[in-house]
Amino acid sequence: MTSSLNATEFVVRSIAEEALVNEKYFGELDSVVGDGDFGYSLARGFEVVLSGWDGVDRTDPGVFLSKIAIVITSTIGGTSGPLWGTAFLRAGTALKGRNEISPADTITALRAAIEGIKYRGKSDVGDKTLLDAFVPAVDTLEAAFAAGDDAKTALGKMAVSARAAAQATSLLQARRGRASYTGERSVGSPDAGAIAIAVLVERLARTWAN
């Protein structure tokens, strides 16, 4: 990546494209884990993001993320729009005014996004399982940066962590029981939210260019 704004755009575009590519997969998973319109709403919302890509304000990475948040909130249906929108908005607020984003800034923005998901998803147990993959993945990324890893290496470690956490959701469901962990979801089923994070980070790790 040649600049922090380019890097930010790369991540957002990756999220949007991954939502479109995996709409069918997540849609099929909906019927297993009870996520309703998870795949469809994310795909349609991020499709709007991509269609209006060139018209989004690029004053700085923070402003860019905040503008994307507005589009997401207004176009993604159900509970997904406010949740993802709040995550992007809080990340954008954390980065506003920064032309260059350090590894520490990246972690700060991701932690802000996590707090946004927790805030908006507090009444939806499905969003808890999204965090099951997201939180340890960010922990791993922070540790990798602290160890001096470059972005590509750090993302690779983050991807491994996200996938392991996503797979662990089925074990947790089986151990704790359906009602106590995931409401009406099927015991032992992988969770769409956790897997969404895993496949996204795996894509970033594969395609990131230093």
Side-chain angles (χ1 to χ4, degrees):
M1 291 293 127
T2 57
S3 72
S4 292
L5 181 56
N6 284 345
T8 303
E9 290 187 14
F10 174 78
V11 171
V12 175
R13 182 177 284 278
S14 294
I15 293 172
E17 291 176 347
E18 199 65 44
L20 291 173
V21 168
N22 284 289
E23 177 187 354
K24 181 177 184 294
Y25 170 72
F26 289 131
E28 290 172 350
L29 200 56
D30 289 345
S31 63
V32 177
V33 299
D35 265 344
D37 63 353
F38 181 90
Y40 177 80
S41 64
L42 257 67
R44 295 290 74 77
F46 283 115
E47 188 173 50
V48 172
V49 169
L50 290 173
S51 67
W53 188 262
D54 292 334
V56 179
D57 188 342
R58 285 164 166 71
T59 305
D60 61 50
V63 169
F64 173 71
L65 288 174
S66 297
K67 296 298 183 182
I68 291 292
I70 294 173
V71 177
I72 289 172
T73 301
S74 62
T75 57
I76 297 180
T79 60
S80 297
L83 184 144
W84 284 86
T86 301
F88 274 92
L89 180 61
R90 293 205 177 186
T93 300
L95 295 177
K96 274 186 178 176
R98 290 176 170 82
N99 292 321
E100 295 299 325
I101 303 173
S102 68
D105 291 331
T106 299
I107 298 301
T108 297
L110 289 172
R111 298 287 186 203
I114 286 170
E115 290 307 310
I117 293 172
K118 287 180 178 178
Y119 172 75
R120 282 293 183 180
K122 59 187 176 183
S123 63
D124 186 345
V125 292
D127 300 324
K128 179 190 180 303
T129 51
L130 185 153
L131 292 169
D132 283 340
F134 195 12
V135 173
V138 174
D139 290 342
T140 298
L141 184 67
E142 183 173 26
F145 280 145
D149 291 339
D150 60 23
K152 187 174 182 64
T153 301
L155 278 171
K157 292 180 178 180
M158 185 182 187
V160 172
S161 173
R163 175 57 64 175
Q167 292 172 340
T169 60
S170 62
L171 299 178
L172 287 168
Q173 289 176 45
R175 186 161 62 245
R176 299 181 187 180
R178 180 174 64 188
S180 65
Y181 187 67
T182 53
E184 296 304 314
R185 298 170 192 276
S186 300
V187 175
S189 298
D191 180 76
I195 291 178
I197 293 296
V199 296
L200 170 62
V201 178
E202 286 165 353
R203 171 181 175 150
L204 292 173
R206 287 194 308 270
T207 59
W208 187 270
N210 292 316

